[in-house]
Amino acid sequence: MIRTPWRRRDEPLDHAELARLLPAPGDPELSFDRLSSLEEHLMSEIRHLTPDASAGAGTPTSDAVPDVPFAGAWEETRDLRPVRRSRRRPVLAGAGAALVLVAAGVAALAGGFGGPGSAVAPPAGAVPAPVVQVARGSTVGLAGAVADISGAVARAELPEPRPGQFLYVRSEVSWLVTWDGSDGKNESYVEKLHPREVWMSPDGDRGWLVEPYREATGRDGITLDDPGPVRPSLNAPSYDYLRTLPTDPDLLLKKIYDETEGEGSTPDQQAFTTIGDLLREQVVPPQLAAGLYRAAARIPGVVLVDDSVDAVGRHGVAIARADEADGARTEWIFDRETYTYLGERTVQTRDAEGIKKGTVRGRTAVTDRAVVDAVKQRPAAPAPGDRPARPAPSAGT
């Protein structure tokens, strides 16, 4: 039942009185992955409704995107941001109705789930979040480990994508879900571990996402094509953009701090997150990847964790940092012998925001990375009896 606030005669209520009479608004937090997938879905709808935004797109999406909202609202650790990685924001210029659609869609999905008393059962497909013992991190051995990782990355021989080709990354992923049970207590669940495939053109203008677990992508996936020109940046990195960045760690770190000023919970945490975003779901030029890892090691609070586990159970050492704001520690995991990047895990290091210490807030595992000739084309499968190759050591997080 919606109550009408009582008013004195015909006098309008001021903001202070409204704040006193009405309950505090909720502040749901969508994961970056959820928010990006939502934007992709909404932009597909917008392209159908606004001819000028869709003209010449050339990528059919009407059959691939079901006209339904997500099955649940997902609150994910702010450090685990898997997306197609370009962190591009779709251009909404010249479409007032589109802006209304985006605002309404985000509000409906963000406000419809996850708030107090808004859910009486975990979202479909979610399972209880694993809880692990939080391993101690230390700066002892960090410099040596980063030197080994950077050296292995710099020596990697990777195919250079040509115009018209696509960077392909396949991962197994799972993100945190929170909901309020019938007793009012916050419960932590995670998505069922599921595959995710991303294709991106070197210039970042074209791409495709297949993640059947997400209702918004459909079984065939959705386009990641930009509806308009987007200037590459740290927040919208393409392969071609990454090739223009300096490889010197000090220069990289200065650029990152300068261009992300005011973002994130702290400058240091945002710098660490930005490096992860630059490397995630990308095929990074080897010298740049080496420079980025060396730059990360110079950020205050970054530590070495002797043992971490990726989403498919592979153990390795990790470069890690805990967010001072909420205690969520993101760990980039590397094979102990080859220093190949395996995946990422975020663990809660203290009780905070209703999430217990040791809760695994998110986990990924890169299972394939390659350069292919077309969207939705997958690398050739290994011959029977061949041992599956490890993912290329170049593309970090």
Side-chain angles (χ1 to χ4, degrees), residues 302-320:
V302 171
V303 296
L304 180 70
V305 177
D306 286 337
D307 185 60
S308 185
V309 187
D310 74 1
V312 296
R314 298 175 297 189
H315 287 254
V317 297
I319 299 173

Side-chain angles (χ1 to χ4, degrees), residues 181-195:
S182 57
D183 57 0
K185 294 182 179 179
N186 182 280
E187 303 289 343
S188 296
Y189 279 67
V190 290
E191 301 170 341
K192 182 180 178 180
L193 190 66
H194 61 275

Side-chain angles (χ1 to χ4, degrees), residues 74 124-127 172-175 177 189-195 213 363:
W74 308 81
V127 296
E172 295 287 330
V173 301
S174 171
W175 313 111
V177 181
Y189 279 67
V190 290
E191 301 170 341
K192 182 180 178 180
L193 190 66
H194 61 275
Y213 187 88
R363 51 194 176 139

Side-chain angles (χ1 to χ4, degrees), residues 10 91 105 130-131 180 190 230 267:
D10 294 326
V91 176
V131 179
D180 291 318
V190 290
V230 175

Side-chain angles (χ1 to χ4, degrees), residues 153-333:
V153 167
R155 292 189 298 271
E157 295 182 1
L158 299 173
E160 180 81 10
R162 301 187 306 273
Q165 290 189 310
F166 290 83
L167 307 165
Y168 170 80
V169 180
R170 186 188 188 281
S171 306
E172 295 287 330
V173 301
S174 171
W175 313 111
L176 181 72
V177 181
T178 60
W179 67 289
D180 291 318
S182 57
D183 57 0
K185 294 182 179 179
N186 182 280
E187 303 289 343
S188 296
Y189 279 67
V190 290
E191 301 170 341
K192 182 180 178 180
L193 190 66
H194 61 275
R196 172 186 170 88
E197 296 175 285
V198 175
W199 291 260
M200 288 302 302
S201 62
D203 60 11
D205 289 342
R206 299 182 59 201
W208 196 263
L209 168 66
V210 172
E211 194 172 4
Y213 187 88
R214 313 278 190 189
E215 290 187 13
T217 73
R219 185 169 298 276
D220 294 330
I222 59 174
T223 180
L224 300 181
D225 291 2
D226 273 323
V230 175
R231 186 173 65 87
S233 67
L234 289 177
N235 287 333
S238 65
Y239 179 84
D240 290 346
Y241 170 77
L242 293 178
R243 292 179 59 191
T244 70
L245 294 179
T247 59
D248 178 85
D250 292 326
L251 295 178
L252 280 169
L253 212 51
K254 183 180 186 305
K255 180 178 179 67
I256 290 168
Y257 275 105
D258 287 347
E259 295 191 16
T260 61
E261 183 177 2
E263 300 178 17
S265 57
T266 68
D268 293 333
Q269 181 60 32
Q270 184 58 37
F272 185 80
T273 299
T274 298
I275 292 175
D277 288 349
L278 288 173
L279 294 163
R280 185 178 290 109
E281 291 188 333
Q282 265 284 7
V283 177
V284 181
Q287 294 300 323
L288 175 61
L292 287 169
Y293 288 129
R294 292 190 181 102
R298 302 180 187 190
I299 298 173
V302 171
V303 296
L304 180 70
V305 177
D306 286 337
D307 185 60
S308 185
V309 187
D310 74 1
V312 296
R314 298 175 297 189
H315 287 254
V317 297
I319 299 173
R321 191 181 194 282
D323 191 334
E324 297 90 339
D326 60 10
R329 186 176 74 187
T330 299
E331 303 168 352
W332 305 337
I333 308 167

